[in-house]
Amino acid sequence: MSDKAGAGEATGDGFEPRIVAFLCNWCTSAAADLAGVSRFKYPANITPVRVMCSGMVDPFYVMYALRKGADGVLLGGCHIGDCHYLTGNWQTEKRVPLLHKALETLGIDPRRVRLEWISASEGARFVEVAAEFVADVKRLGPNPLKGASHDRGTPPAL
Ligand code: FES
């Protein structure tokens, strides 16, 4: 983490972060469902977005979520070697460090974006990761991009 990225740390008193979680249909989304049916509680801060594979999460989606008010973004996929589309999670694994670098360049703490491999049978692990990530983002404070005046939204369709 750079000094710049750490400079935005806040105590997070009373702050409830909004987390967007892009979860692979076959593994992490199923783990979140398992957590639900097992009656494990995880923070309500998480808004799950089911995707077919972590590899389809374009970095643009992550940036868009951050621009639109998410304080953190969780990416969840199948363990390496278990991707239902063979190489999707390899691509995700390569992309995320690049995304972290881009965030640092923009002065955004890269800890706001977290990648985890969580299989369908790991409901308890999903809960653990969700709670840990919410606590981490709470410590970071609100996303500085939130409500930025340069954000003019999505360009209109032509
Ligand atoms: S199908 Fe789960 S990461 Fe690709």
Side-chain angles (χ1 to χ4, degrees):
M1 181 196 70
S2 72
D3 289 338
K4 192 175 179 183
E9 294 209 18
T11 56
D13 290 340
F15 162 62
E16 286 299 331
R18 291 179 62 189
I19 308 291
V20 173
F22 293 104
L23 308 178
C24 156
N25 176 62
W26 305 103
C27 291
T28 315
S29 183
D33 288 347
L34 177 62
V37 296
S38 307
R39 296 182 168 257
F40 297 152
K41 287 195 189 335
Y42 64 87
N45 311 56
I46 307 262
T47 302
V49 178
R50 189 163 55 95
V51 294
M52 291 311 286
C53 174
S54 68
M56 69 160 287
V57 180
D58 190 303
F60 175 80
Y61 300 169
V62 175
M63 295 306 291
Y64 189 78
L66 291 170
R67 280 182 53 219
K68 288 297 182 182
D71 298 295
V73 177
L74 176 65
L75 300 172
C78 307
H79 286 277
I80 294 295
D82 291 344
C83 175
H84 287 233
Y85 305 97
L86 304 178
T87 60
N89 53 8
W90 284 111
Q91 292 169 25
T92 309
E93 191 171 52
K94 282 184 197 161
R95 265 188 218 134
V96 168
L98 299 174
L99 186 55
H100 282 162
K101 279 194 180 131
L103 289 171
E104 267 191 313
T105 304
L106 294 169
I108 306 299
D109 195 310
R111 290 175 295 177
R112 291 187 186 278
V113 176
R114 178 166 172 170
L115 170 63
E116 288 288 341
W117 309 131
I118 303 172
S119 76
S121 63
E122 295 178 304
R125 169 138 175 78
F126 176 78
V127 170
E128 187 185 300
V129 166
E132 197 180 281
F133 189 49
V134 167
D136 288 348
V137 176
K138 246 184 201 181
R139 277 190 292 274
L140 293 174
N143 170 10
L145 278 185
K146 198 187 288 195
S149 59
H150 63 272
D151 183 2
R152 294 167 199 240
T154 309
L158 297 175

